[in-house]
Amino acid sequence: MLDPRDRIQEVDPVWSRIRKEANQAVLDEPLLGGLVHSSLLHHRTLEQALAYRISLKLGSGEMSEQILREIGDEAYAHDTDLGAAARADLVATLERDPATHRMLQPILFFKGFQALQAYRVGHWLWQQGRSDLAYFLQMRISEVFGIDIHPAARLGRGIMIDHAHSIVIGETAVVGDNVSMLHSVTLGGTGKEDGDRHPKIGDCVLIGAGAKILGNITIGACSRIAAGSVVLDDLPEHVTAAGVPARIVGEAGCSQPAVSMDQMLDEH
């Protein structure tokens, strides 16, 4: 009888496409054959490939690639939502980032996607009560990718982190589904207060480069935060905020800003 995982593999269009792209990549650039085979073609599922890729990037003298790979395999085996979220993140990156032309690119080359998937494994560990191991992954993600996401933060599916340098997301932050953010975004606190102290970002929000959203505030769904803005107060849905401190300067301009990625402000 066919294993249920094999049935899933047979009807996994994302993984099928990645493998097709990987085979073509080897033909196009044979010098990358070893990388493509070890990272993608040697694995039966996307989950196994991600566990391997994360371990390869985060392994060090403090914790070996083999141990990290076993942790990743365990996480993906016990929580199918991790694989579903990874697929949603891949599709989001392909649809929204004009530099992404193939699904294999984020897995092999883009630190925003790689860091996000490593965070998801760390978040799973946090939920299992394995906080020290989760903190270790947070440390290595920050050291390797330059992105600091607390493992207790809650991030939805379909997240696209473009360029991804210097992203900071605090412990009690919540990010909804289908959110897009650019480099140097901070979802932080406003001081030394404890407890629930970080932003809550609604679905389909677009956060521009360098934006700082601080405190236990709510950003309504389908809103836009302009690049370089500092947001200190709640924002309703479907608006554009800009400035330091940020203020509402108009409507969002479209139904799903995070998908359209339109960052231009209305001059009228």
Side-chain angles (χ1 to χ4, degrees):
M1 184 176 179
L2 192 64
D3 188 287
R5 289 171 294 185
D6 292 325
R7 295 195 192 99
I8 293 172
Q9 183 181 3
E10 288 181 354
V11 294
D12 185 350
V14 170
W15 182 233
S16 295
R17 175 170 174 172
I18 291 168
R19 290 185 62 85
K20 182 178 179 180
E21 292 174 352
N23 281 301
Q24 186 60 50
V26 173
L27 293 176
D28 294 340
E29 183 51 84
L31 291 177
L32 284 175
L35 169 65
V36 174
H37 276 278
S38 64
S39 297
L40 298 171
L41 294 175
H42 283 178
H43 306 283
R44 293 176 55 251
T45 66
L46 175 60
E47 287 81 357
Q48 291 175 353
L50 289 173
Y52 172 82
R53 194 75 181 134
I54 291 169
S55 70
L56 194 69
K57 301 298 289 186
L58 300 185
S60 70
E62 294 180 306
M63 188 169 295
S64 70
E65 296 170 14
Q66 181 60 41
I67 293 175
L68 288 169
R69 185 175 180 181
E70 290 175 2
I71 293 169
D73 285 336
E74 180 187 5
Y76 285 113
H78 282 82
D79 188 350
T80 57
D81 283 346
L82 292 175
R87 287 167 175 80
D89 298 338
L90 270 174
V91 172
T93 303
L94 182 66
E95 290 180 344
R96 301 175 208 166
D97 181 1
T100 305
H101 308 289
R102 295 167 296 165
M103 280 193 173
L104 64 75
Q105 285 177 269
I107 302 174
L108 294 181
F109 308 126
F110 293 175
K111 70 177 184 178
F113 176 82
Q114 294 170 353
L116 181 57
Q117 306 320 308
Y119 145 79
R120 294 193 186 282
V121 172
H123 181 65
W124 178 81
L125 290 168
W126 185 271
Q127 291 178 309
Q128 305 306 306
R130 301 165 72 180
S131 58
D132 285 336
L133 196 51
Y135 278 131
F136 179 85
L137 257 65
Q138 178 190 6
M139 176 191 72
R140 287 297 294 153
I141 293 165
S142 180
E143 291 173 346
V144 172
F145 299 117
I147 302 173
D148 195 347
I149 307 176
H150 195 287
R154 291 179 286 155
L155 276 62
R157 298 183 182 185
I159 305 295
M160 196 277 285
I161 303 179
D162 194 18
H163 297 293
H165 192 68
S166 299
I167 297 284
V168 177
I169 300 178
E171 178 181 11
T172 61
V174 178
V175 178
D177 295 331
N178 298 314
V179 169
S180 295
M181 64 181 74
L182 285 82
H183 56 281
S184 299
V185 164
T186 297
L187 306 182
T190 58
K192 294 177 64 177
E193 71 276 13
D194 201 355
D196 196 354
R197 61 195 184 278
H198 296 109
K200 312 298 180 280
I201 310 299
D203 296 342
C204 298
V205 171
L206 170 60
I207 308 175
K212 315 301 178 188
I213 305 175
L214 306 177
N216 184 17
I217 61 175
T218 298
I219 307 302
C222 302
S223 290
R224 294 191 301 174
I225 310 299
S229 298
V230 178
V231 185
L232 301 173
D233 298 301
D234 293 345
L235 292 175
E237 298 180 354
H238 302 286
V239 299
T240 294
V244 181
R247 62 182 180 87
I248 296 173
V249 297
E251 297 180 352
C254 62
S255 61
Q256 297 189 60
V259 176
S260 70
M261 296 295 293
D262 182 1
Q263 301 180 69
M264 300 300 293
L265 300 180
D266 189 351
E267 296 180 357
H268 302 292

